């Protein structure tokens, strides 16, 4: 494992971001959205907008913290690492299937 990843994990730099992403997924579930609906939502609930507006700044803050501690890392690499960490949340918060089947 790369040193910067150990740094991120040991300081739990993604913990707040993971919670926000989980909360966003719960909103998607509440609204009855499918993964396809996420590509072009017809509306945006206020609580979702609030969480979404914090998401990118938190991603940038994590990247900047890694850089500030002297790690030579690419922004895309950090982005993919974080998105991979968030992917487990998709598994525990499944969305409505396109055919309307909500059983999982």
């Amino acid at each position: 494992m790369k040193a910067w990843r150990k740094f991120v994990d040991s300081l739990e730099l993604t913990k707040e971001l993971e919670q926000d992403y989980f909360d966003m997924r719960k909103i998607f579930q509440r609204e009855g959205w499918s993964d396809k609906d996420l590509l072009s939502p017809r509306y945006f609930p206020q609580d979702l907008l609030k969480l979404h507006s914090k998401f990118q700044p938190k991603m940038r803050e994590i990247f900047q913290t890694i850089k500030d501690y002297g790690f030579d890392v690419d922004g895309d690499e950090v982005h993919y690492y974080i998105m991979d960490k968030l992917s487990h949340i998709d598994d525990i918060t499944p969305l409505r299937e396109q055919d309307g089947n909500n059983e999982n």
Side-chain angles (χ1 to χ4, degrees):
M1 177 182 271
K2 294 185 177 187
W4 69 266
R5 290 181 181 196
K6 287 182 183 180
F7 172 77
V8 169
D9 289 344
S10 66
L11 292 181
E12 298 183 329
L13 294 181
T14 62
K15 187 174 184 168
E16 191 176 335
L17 192 67
E18 289 176 71
Q19 183 61 53
D20 286 348
Y21 187 70
F22 177 76
D23 293 343
M24 289 170 67
R25 291 288 295 191
K26 294 301 281 181
I27 293 169
F28 301 154
Q29 286 181 324
R30 179 191 75 205
E31 299 298 321
W33 291 356
S34 68
D35 285 315
K36 186 176 179 183
D37 294 329
L38 299 181
L39 299 175
S40 183
R42 293 176 299 216
Y43 61 94
F44 295 94
Q46 278 302 114
D47 51 352
L48 178 60
L49 285 175
K50 183 177 178 183
L51 288 169
H52 186 266
S53 70
K54 298 186 318 183
F55 201 78
Q56 286 302 320
K58 284 182 184 177
M59 295 262 296
R60 285 190 298 271
E61 181 180 331
I62 292 167
F63 175 68
Q64 192 58 53
T65 299
I66 294 167
K67 296 291 282 182
D68 288 349
Y69 276 84
F71 293 101
D72 183 24
V73 64
D74 178 74
D76 287 339
E77 188 176 11
V78 173
H79 174 81
Y80 291 125
Y81 174 72
I82 291 172
M83 295 312 291
D84 186 55
K85 285 185 68 99
L86 297 178
S87 68
H88 79 279
I89 296 171
D90 295 349
D91 296 334
I92 61 174
T93 56
L95 302 183
R96 181 181 57 82
E97 293 182 23
Q98 200 55 34
D99 65 5
N101 180 4
N102 280 332
E103 295 180 32
N104 291 320

